[in-house]
Amino acid sequence: QVQLVESGGGLVQAGGSLGLSCAASGGTFSTYSMGWFRQAPGREREFVAGINWSGSNTKYADSVKGRFTISRDNAKNTVYLQMNSLKPEDTAVYYCAADPSGTRYSTRSYEYGYWGQGTQVTVSS
């Protein structure tokens, strides 16, 4: 059973930066695609960024492209999300997710079989 634990959330002013981490255990992390999703109050969970098993391919939601960077360290079983130029509309609970299909790094949440508990990110104006 794969377990994912996010960390690094918090409160930041608009224009600031924040880095999230997601540590995996219990599975073969280096073979999984990983994704970051977020959910704001009253809204559906939405895709933020995805990365394939090796880290050679990434994709981003249009709303975060150029501001957020997803990366991974397979030696540390960890995926990261660096968030720069944060906006109040980035406020949400951020979740990391794992997909045993290492090449998919899908935008669709149902294709991820494992989820973390989420970490709150709040951006003040």
Side-chain angles (χ1 to χ4, degrees), residues 38 47-49 58-70 81-82 84-85 87 90 107:
R38 66 186 182 187
F47 172 80
V48 175
T58 59
K59 65 176 67 168
Y60 298 92
D62 288 342
S63 59
V64 307
K65 202 170 294 183
R67 300 188 297 122
F68 289 12
T69 302
I70 187 171
L81 185 69
Q82 179 62 38
N84 299 328
S85 302
K87 305 175 181 179
D90 294 318
T107 62

Side-chain angles (χ1 to χ4, degrees), residues 38-88:
R38 66 186 182 187
Q39 187 167 19
R43 302 189 65 176
E44 292 187 353
R45 189 171 298 188
E46 64 175 359
F47 172 80
V48 175
I51 189 167
N52 73 331
W53 66 275
S54 67
S56 61
N57 291 297
T58 59
K59 65 176 67 168
Y60 298 92
D62 288 342
S63 59
V64 307
K65 202 170 294 183
R67 300 188 297 122
F68 289 12
T69 302
I70 187 171
S71 62
R72 66 189 297 159
D73 185 337
N74 286 344
K76 295 183 178 179
N77 288 355
T78 302
V79 63
Y80 306 96
L81 185 69
Q82 179 62 38
M83 305 182 293
N84 299 328
S85 302
L86 282 160
K87 305 175 181 179

